[in-house]
Amino acid sequence: MAEAGRPGHGPLAGVRVVELAGIGPGPFAAMLLADLGADVVRVDRPGGPGLAIDPEYDITNRNKRSVIVDLKAEDGPSHVLDLIERADVLVEGYRPGVAERLGVGPEACHARNPALVYGRMTGWGQEGPLAQRAGHDIAYIALTGTLGMIGAPGEPPAVPANLVGDYAGGSLYLVVGVLAALHHARATGTGQVVDAAIVDGTAHLSAMIHGMLAAGGWQDRRGANLLDGGCPYYGTYETADGQYMAVGALEQQFYDEFVTLLGIGELAGARKDLARWEELREEVAARFRTRTREEWTAVFEGSDACVAPVLSLREAPAHPHLAARGTFVDHGGITQPAPAPRFSLTPTAVRGGPAQPGADTADVARDWGLPHLMKDGD
């Protein structure tokens, strides 16, 4: 078993990544690269990143190693450039122009390492009228039209935590871009800059919806469409104990099984009759309120009705299917999602807990051949 924080088996074993410490989507993207086996060295700043979370519990820093470098110190940029000279990938999440002012922008980095993939993670992107403005997930997804799609009609849009913007539209697109650019760099010897903007990625996520909108198959308002809760057989319903069941019986054969098990087979014909959707919705809601979530879970167990209980974060790891797959793991006393996706030849794992700022300076100095890092790490 690999030592805590050390790169282990995985499809990215042997890939070296420098992460300039930040918060939100940058650390999550670097965690994903680390989960896949890359040797991710997080360059923490003195005093921490400013996020009010105990580093012991910051899972987005698992499988990484940390050194502390003060980029504002006279020799700070040179230490980071020394790391970059030995790296394949850099990940940074500063506002546009900040990395350049600190002496570690793309030009300086590529002068030291022409094959470097320079990954930039921002909300608004590297250019455009809002590029220099502050922001968070909710503002980015608001402008793309994505936030406005989510929630009940007549009510404020529902906030999907920071999953849609920061992580789906941001981190995952940065990782896709980095891996594509890494493939190109290995084929040509030439690195490049990856400009991953949350507004771009979040907009891209809605590609299918825009196609449906253009075709007249999607109404530009909440709760009026097939996939946004407007459809009575694609949504959530309250149970007798105040819990919820999720229904996604879109196809005919799944819908038929759903209404049969729910006990409203007489309304099977309402599926395609939009004039009867409200009647169908009311009857579905009334039926779900007659039993508890556990009872309805038992009713639909083993069926293809596409119905599932809505579980909480603490409940999810104990679900039999997720437990059987090992979707969640316990490491260092913290229950957390296991690395994903899975690989048949190069399995991944949680190899180490959250990297503690500066704790790995000696190991990184040795492994990356940079003994002078030690004077800043002590």
Side-chain angles (χ1 to χ4, degrees):
M1 180 176 178
E3 295 180 38
R6 297 289 179 84
H9 297 295
L12 293 186
V15 173
R16 286 179 168 178
V17 178
V18 173
E19 175 198 355
L20 301 184
I23 61 174
F28 186 86
M31 181 203 77
L32 180 51
L33 295 172
D35 282 354
L36 297 177
D39 182 5
V40 176
V41 172
R42 178 179 167 94
V43 179
D44 278 300
R45 66 193 72 175
L51 183 64
I53 181 173
D54 185 337
E56 294 280 351
Y57 296 93
D58 190 353
I59 294 172
T60 63
N61 284 328
R62 73 185 184 190
N63 286 341
K64 303 177 185 179
R65 299 192 283 181
S66 169
V67 300
I68 293 178
V69 177
D70 185 357
L71 273 168
K72 295 182 179 179
E74 184 177 353
D75 59 354
S78 66
H79 287 326
V80 172
L81 289 171
D82 286 342
L83 285 166
I84 285 167
E85 185 175 343
R86 293 157 172 77
D88 301 290
V89 175
L90 173 95
V91 171
E92 63 96 354
Y94 301 137
R95 289 199 208 188
V98 171
E100 286 83 349
R101 290 196 295 273
L102 291 172
V104 291
E107 185 175 349
C109 290
H110 282 139
R112 291 287 292 273
N113 182 353
L116 180 76
V117 173
Y118 195 109
R120 316 197 82 165
M121 182 75 260
T122 61
W124 304 117
Q126 296 298 313
E127 57 188 19
L130 294 177
Q132 292 297 330
R133 299 282 70 81
H136 279 295
D137 175 291
I138 193 168
Y140 309 138
I141 67 174
L143 284 195
T144 63
T146 311
L147 179 61
M149 293 167 46
I150 305 171
E155 297 181 7
V159 180
N162 69 332
L163 302 178
V164 173
D166 276 357
Y167 294 152
S171 304
L172 297 186
Y173 278 85
L174 175 61
V175 170
V176 168
V178 162
L179 294 180
L182 182 62
H183 176 76
H184 175 267
R186 290 189 163 180
T188 66
T190 304
Q192 61 184 302
V193 176
V194 178
D195 174 6
I198 294 173
V199 289
D200 296 345
T202 305
H204 193 262
L205 288 171
S206 64
M208 182 188 75
I209 304 298
H210 276 278
M212 295 172 70
L213 185 66
W218 189 275
Q219 300 182 61
D220 198 12
R221 55 191 178 90
R222 288 190 297 284
N225 300 285
L226 189 66
L227 303 175
D228 67 355
C231 172
Y233 44 92
Y234 196 92
T236 56
Y237 291 92
E238 188 175 4
T239 56
D241 55 345
Q243 301 295 320
Y244 291 87
M245 298 294 290
V247 177
L250 291 177
E251 291 84 357
Q252 181 71 57
Q253 68 271 30
F254 305 147
Y255 174 82
D256 290 342
E257 193 162 353
F258 165 62
V259 293
T260 298
L261 290 173
L262 193 64
I264 57 169
E266 70 278 5
L267 289 176
R271 175 174 175 267
K272 294 184 177 181
D273 187 350
L274 297 184
R276 299 184 64 192
W277 269 18
E278 193 55 38
E279 173 193 3
L280 178 58
R281 186 191 318 280
E282 292 176 359
E283 187 60 29
V284 170
R287 286 293 298 165
F288 272 118
R289 284 194 295 267
T290 64
R291 300 186 186 183
T292 66
R293 186 186 68 178
E294 183 177 356
E295 289 172 332
W296 281 119
T297 299
V299 168
F300 289 101
E301 187 74 27
S303 77
D304 277 341
C306 300
V307 176
V310 178
L311 303 181
S312 71
L313 291 174
R314 293 191 184 280
E315 290 176 317
H319 186 276
H321 180 78
L322 303 184
R325 284 184 59 80
T327 299
F328 292 87
V329 297
D330 184 280
H331 190 280
I334 302 175
T335 299
Q336 57 195 279
R342 304 178 186 205
F343 300 86
S344 60
L345 294 180
T346 54
T348 58
V350 178
R351 306 181 305 277
Q356 301 305 292
D360 308 294
T361 302
D363 287 344
V364 173
R366 181 193 65 238
D367 296 345
W368 287 43
L370 295 170
H372 58 278
L373 274 179
M374 285 301 297
K375 70 175 184 177
D376 281 356
D378 289 338

